[in-house]
Amino acid sequence: MDKNILKAAELIKNSEYLVILTGAGISAESGIPTFRGKEGFWRSYNPMELATPYAFKRDPKLVWEFYSYRQKIIKNAKPNDAHKIIKEWEDKGIVKTVVTQNVDGLHERTGLKNIIRLHGYIWGVKCTKCTYHGVLDEPAEGIPKCPDCGEMLRPDVVWFGESLDPVVINKAFTEFSKADVGLIIGTSAVVYPAAELPFVIMRNGGKIIEINPDRTPVTDISTISIHKSAAEAMREINQKMKARES
Ligand code: NAD
Ligand code: ZN
């Protein structure tokens, strides 16, 4: 038996204000590639060089092709056990808030209510010229145009080098400052300001549980590190919590 799983189950169960931060790793088992893994490459491109305002300026068609490819994957993907268990814990009142860096909408598809989306939504679009905002129903074909002014639309996501909505980031920091326990799942924890959130809990004397197959900067400040995949670790923790209930 894995001692860390048991310790995590106890910490979560006894928590007063549990918050969760998720990154691309939580959706890897739903078949959605992370940006930093080998499988993250699209054709010969590094996603981190395409998800930028500079790339869009230089070649909007290429960037839209990349987003359309990802929209197709996400359309066919389903929430995995890690997403589902988080929703189960929300229903039981254990999880107070989930902050995600993901744009895939998989948390929302479990019916999760208290979610703060830091980096936007892959189906969202906004005009490059006017104030138009909208949502696509289907993967983009070519470069979508603004229905109001005819200019190019762009994905309504936060690209590398862009700032986050201050209202959204403030909400996330407020939630994390209330937490006595934080569960950090599948994030490389290098993209700021999201990467700062676990440190807010640490500075307040709270405890951190990390689920990630690899080491990250959060590993060093974690009370418990579980080096397993998100779905596997969450299933094991959930089982332990249930075993203790009966
Ligand atoms: P990342 O790609 O930088 O890191 C992913 C992390 O997940 C890594 O630390 C990796 O070790 C871990 N991981 C891989 N497989 C895992 C698994 N099965 N279980 C648990 N952990 C696993 O992701 P990031 O830190 O979220 O930052 C990249 C940015 O790119 C994000 O902010 C996001 O906006 C965007 N992005 C979103 C999606 C999505 O919506 N699904 C996918 C890729 C990138
Ligand atoms: Zn417009």
Side-chain angles (χ1 to χ4, degrees), residues 27 38 93-94 99-100 108 117 143 145 161 173 179 196 208 220 223 231 238:
S27 297
K38 251 194 260 137
I94 299 171
V99 175
T100 191
E108 292 86 336
R117 206 153 49 192
I143 303 175
K145 299 283 160 27
F173 273 93
E196 184 61 26
I208 310 270
D220 298 329
T223 312
N238 201 34

Side-chain angles (χ1 to χ4, degrees), residues 127-132 146-153:
C127 184
T128 52
K129 185 138 187 254
C130 73
T131 56
Y132 176 82
C146 177
D148 288 351
C149 77
E151 277 301 321
M152 282 191 292
L153 293 176

